[in-house]
């Protein structure tokens, strides 16, 4: 596998939730091993749990005070919508009632009045809110954004797919087939008849690929696709064909272009108004690649028409780092024994291989024969 495959983080699993269950069992076991009577343990447990529920209630009240000033613009004048947004009533209301009832029952035998305990619990929770201890960590924020798919990268990936790739990718092979008929010696290997999309994690996108690497030379443009889109008559979509020179001065030809949404991420990191740091940019670039890969894998019409090339260009990178990375992917495609669909693999073999092609793969000799992948 390519070394850059280690750069892209996988989606977070449920290890944190499993850790919660494990720690819960350990804490329960530790309390049991103390040998304390169950009534004071239950009393303390209920006190702490009621305190947490009071904290949720107080936090909701504080947020509601702010949202009241935005009823018309955010909630169409509905106070109930604002209330529902500030309080997760579906869970905390019954929990608060149950814990409160148990707490009142247990406190009746205490010397201190109930109002004292409630005031003390409220004071602790308000102090927690004032100090900002309740705020989620960076990991929690990242996980919430990824699970809700509200990151900048998710929007950019879907926009790139819906507004561009879904339109051009199904037409790529046809354009290359037309070009190959006119120039049979240029695109000899059908396995590379794809759009190679460059995804630099630095988001540093060159408008001219020849300036990025002198071993990449512009050759020509493929057949244009003209469509009417969003009020623009005869909007033109086209791809450029490049010649990549390897170490032996051999030329490899393919269609290459950058993933243009990365320019937006780079521009955001340069604009103070966006408050977008370099670390944020790197995280969003990785998430953009992962999201785009998931979208394209689920797209039947785009299957086998693209190749995502993700890379991280270090400060001391070689002059021809980009061309070597592209060549690695071209060689991978060329030396594959079978054409692997990047989307859903068809189950019916007869739809992918003709009878003549099947006969060619059956050896007439009893001896084992090597597999070949000549283009």
């Amino acid at each position: 596998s390519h070394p850059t495959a280690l750069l892209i983080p996988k989606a977070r699993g449920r290890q944190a939730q499993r850790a919660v269950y494990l720690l819960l069992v350990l804490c329960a076991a530790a309390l049991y091993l103390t040998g304390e009577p169950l009534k004071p343990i239950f009393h303390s447990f209920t006190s702490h749990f009621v305190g947490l529920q009071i904290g949720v209630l107080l936090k909701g009240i504080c947020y509601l005070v702010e949202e009241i000033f935005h009823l018309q613009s955010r909630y169409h004048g509905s106070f109930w919508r604002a209330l529902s947004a500030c309080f997760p009533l579906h869970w905390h209301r019954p929990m608060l009632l149950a814990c409160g009832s148990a707490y009142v029952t247990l406190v009746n035998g205490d010397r201190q009045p109930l109002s004292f305990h409630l005031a003390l619990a409220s004071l602790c929770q308000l102090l927690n809110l004032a100090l900002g201890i309740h705020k989620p960590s960076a990991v929690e924020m990242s996980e919430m954004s990824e699970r809700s798919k509200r990151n900048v990268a998710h929007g950019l990936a879907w926009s790139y797919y819906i507004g561009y790739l879904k339109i051009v990718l199904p037409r790529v092979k046809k354009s290359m087939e037309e070009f190959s008929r006119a120039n049979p010696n240029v695109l000899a290997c059908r396995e590379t008849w794809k759009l190679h999309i460059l995804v630099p994690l630095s988001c540093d996108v060159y408008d001219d690929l020849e300036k990025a690497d002198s071993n990449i030379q512009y050759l020509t443009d493929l057949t244009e696709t003209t469509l009417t889109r969003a009020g623009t008559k005869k909007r033109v979509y086209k791809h450029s064909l490049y010649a990549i020179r390897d170490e032996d001065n051999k030329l490899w030809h393919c269609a290459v272009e950058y993933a243009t949404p990365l320019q937006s991420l780079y521009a955001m990191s340069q604009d103070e108004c966006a408050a977008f740091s370099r670390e944020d940019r790197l995280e969003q670039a990785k998430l953009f690649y992962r999201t785009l890969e998931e979208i394209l894998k689920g797209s039947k019409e785009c299957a086998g028409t693209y190749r995502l090339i993700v890379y991280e260009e270090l400060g001391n990178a070689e002059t021809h780092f980009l061309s070597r990375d592209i060549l690695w992917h071209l060689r991978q495609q060329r030396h594959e024994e079978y054409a692997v669909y990047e989307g859903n693999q068809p189950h019916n073999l007869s739809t992918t291989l003709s009878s003549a092609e099947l006969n060619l793969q059956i050896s007439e000799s009893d001896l084992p024969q090597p597999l070949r992948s000549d283009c």
Side-chain angles (χ1 to χ4, degrees):
S1 62
H2 198 264
T4 53
L6 301 174
L7 296 174
I8 307 302
K10 296 182 179 179
R12 289 185 174 92
R14 302 185 59 83
Q15 304 302 325
Q17 192 66 26
R18 294 190 182 100
V20 170
Y21 295 143
L22 177 61
L23 292 174
L24 188 62
V25 172
L26 292 176
C27 288
L31 286 173
Y32 177 77
L33 293 174
T34 57
E36 293 290 332
L38 291 179
K39 185 175 180 180
I41 291 178
F42 184 69
H43 188 183
S44 300
F45 173 79
T46 307
S47 302
H48 285 90
F49 211 80
V50 169
L52 293 175
Q53 300 300 314
I54 290 175
V56 174
L57 182 64
L58 292 173
K59 184 172 69 172
I61 292 173
C62 295
Y63 284 133
L64 183 62
V65 172
E66 172 65 31
E67 298 306 299
I68 287 175
F69 293 94
H70 307 278
L71 284 180
Q72 195 61 41
S73 58
R74 293 180 182 268
Y75 306 101
H76 305 285
S78 173
F79 179 79
W80 176 251
R81 287 186 179 181
L83 191 67
S84 301
C86 295
F87 297 95
L89 300 178
H90 64 282
W91 168 253
H92 288 284
R93 182 171 57 184
M95 183 62 68
L96 182 62
L97 290 174
C99 292
S101 302
Y103 187 61
V104 169
T105 304
L106 293 172
V107 170
N108 283 336
D110 198 351
R111 296 179 180 180
Q112 302 293 344
L114 177 63
S115 57
F116 173 80
H117 291 281
L118 292 177
L120 186 61
S122 299
L123 180 62
C124 292
Q125 293 299 328
L126 288 172
L127 186 61
N128 186 23
L129 292 172
L131 295 176
I133 303 175
H134 71 288
K135 293 183 179 179
S137 64
V139 172
E140 292 175 293
M141 292 291 292
S142 175
E143 184 181 17
M144 287 187 292
S145 298
E146 286 188 26
R147 290 189 183 277
S148 62
K149 300 187 184 299
R150 293 180 180 177
N151 274 288
V152 174
H154 283 103
L156 289 176
W158 274 104
S159 176
Y160 185 47
Y161 169 71
I162 297 294
Y164 179 66
L165 294 181
K166 193 175 181 180
I167 300 170
V168 302
L169 286 181
R171 299 172 171 85
V172 166
K173 286 189 180 294
K174 183 180 178 181
S175 298
M176 290 192 169
E177 189 174 355
E178 293 175 357
F179 181 85
S180 181
R181 283 198 298 264
N183 306 271
N185 296 325
V186 177
L187 293 175
C189 185
R190 297 181 68 92
E191 282 76 10
T192 60
W193 288 11
K194 301 174 183 179
L195 179 61
H196 297 76
I197 303 171
L198 302 178
V199 185
L201 295 181
S202 65
C203 299
D204 194 3
V205 174
Y206 287 85
D207 292 326
D208 192 345
L209 270 172
E210 296 174 339
K211 293 181 179 179
D213 193 321
S214 58
N215 281 349
I216 304 175
Q217 296 296 322
Y218 168 76
L219 189 62
T220 185
D221 290 330
L222 296 176
T223 307
E224 297 178 351
T225 299
T226 305
L227 298 172
T228 299
R229 294 280 296 176
T232 302
K233 298 289 185 180
K234 298 180 180 180
R235 176 170 288 183
V236 176
Y237 298 89
K238 66 178 181 179
H239 309 291
S240 297
L241 197 66
Y242 287 88
I244 317 294
R245 188 179 302 276
D246 64 11
E247 299 83 357
D248 301 324
N249 285 328
K250 178 183 175 182
L251 294 179
W252 299 63
H253 301 92
C254 63
V256 185
E257 62 183 50
Y258 282 102
T260 51
L262 295 178
Q263 288 181 312
S264 301
L265 288 176
Y266 187 84
M268 288 176 65
S269 66
Q270 302 298 312
D271 196 323
E272 295 181 359
C273 297
F276 204 69
S277 66
R278 294 180 61 184
E279 290 76 16
D280 294 332
R281 185 183 70 194
L282 178 60
E283 181 183 358
Q284 292 299 310
K286 293 180 178 180
L287 188 58
F288 170 83
Y289 171 81
R290 197 180 78 201
T291 306
L292 184 61
E293 185 180 39
E294 292 173 356
I295 294 171
L296 289 173
K297 281 184 176 180
S299 175
K300 293 182 180 179
E301 58 264 43
C302 297
T305 62
Y306 68 93
R307 183 86 171 193
L308 295 179
I309 302 177
V310 59
Y311 62 92
E312 185 176 38
E313 188 175 0
L314 302 176
N316 56 350
E318 299 178 8
T319 308
H320 303 299
F321 168 81
L322 182 56
S323 61
R324 290 182 181 179
D325 215 30
I326 297 173
L327 287 169
W328 186 90
H329 284 270
L330 292 176
R331 291 187 178 107
Q332 283 291 106
Q333 296 170 83
R334 184 164 185 172
H335 295 300
E336 287 173 354
E337 298 298 342
Y338 298 100
V340 179
Y341 283 80
E342 295 182 81
N344 296 327
Q345 178 72 18
H347 297 287
N348 188 2
L349 185 62
S350 62
T351 60
T352 57
L353 293 174
S354 65
S355 59
E357 290 172 324
L358 286 171
N359 290 334
L360 288 175
Q361 296 186 40
I362 301 175
S363 174
E364 296 179 359
S365 172
D366 293 332
L367 298 175
Q369 299 293 320
L371 292 173
R372 296 185 63 83
S373 59
D374 296 336
C375 299

